[in-house]
Amino acid sequence: QEHLAQSGGGSVQAGGSLRLSCVASKFTWSGHYMAWFRQVPGKEQEGVAVIFGAEDNDAETTYHDSVKGRFTISQDSAKTTVYLQMNSLRPEDTAMYFCAVRARGGRVHDPLARYYYDYWGQGTQVTVSS
């Protein structure tokens, strides 16, 4: 079993920036998807950003349309930590954010779909005020 520990988040005014971190404690995740999801009460969880990093290739990233150009997902060289840099934040970005890792390797058709992921962080609140 993997354990994912999140940090970062908090409250910021619209236009501001925040950075989320997620550290995997047991395994390295080269060749696996690491992702960020978010959820607002009463709504389904949605995929925000995904990274697929391999040892010998540049990492592949996928973003939800609503965050393209504003959010950047990255990971450390050891593939144990995934980051989400959030810039130009909007009130509609307010949500609980979760990191996730897919245990099985290889590509999937829709990496932003939550059912592909096996391990989840504890969640961290991001609140953006207007």
Side-chain angles (χ1 to χ4, degrees):
Q1 282 280 12
E2 176 60 275
H3 175 68
L4 302 177
Q6 295 181 220
S7 60
S11 297
V12 67
Q13 288 192 325
S17 298
L18 288 171
R19 190 190 198 207
L20 306 181
S21 299
C22 173
V23 181
S25 63
K26 292 191 175 181
F27 304 109
T28 61
W29 295 101
S30 178
H32 295 252
Y33 289 102
M34 302 183 81
W36 289 96
F37 290 77
R38 66 186 180 188
Q39 187 166 25
V40 175
K43 293 189 177 181
E44 287 192 359
Q45 200 174 49
E46 68 176 7
V48 175
V50 176
I51 190 165
F52 184 95
E55 291 294 338
D56 55 353
N57 293 312
D58 291 336
E60 300 173 8
T61 57
T62 304
Y63 295 94
H64 191 278
D65 285 347
S66 66
V67 306
K68 285 180 181 177
R70 301 189 298 121
F71 290 11
T72 302
I73 188 171
S74 62
Q75 63 188 167
D76 67 334
S77 59
K79 309 294 190 289
T80 61
T81 304
V82 62
Y83 306 97
L84 186 67
Q85 178 66 43
M86 303 182 292
N87 299 328
S88 302
L89 282 160
R90 304 167 180 169
E92 54 263 39
D93 295 318
T94 295
M96 184 73 76
Y97 284 70
F98 299 87
C99 63
V101 171
R102 174 172 163 80
R104 286 160 289 177
R107 303 298 204 276
V108 299
H109 175 66
D110 181 10
L112 287 173
R114 70 176 310 278
Y115 54 77
Y116 283 122
Y117 294 86
D118 304 288
Y119 301 117
W120 293 84
Q122 79 275 20
T124 186
Q125 180 67 34
V126 170
T127 302
V128 184
S129 58
S130 58

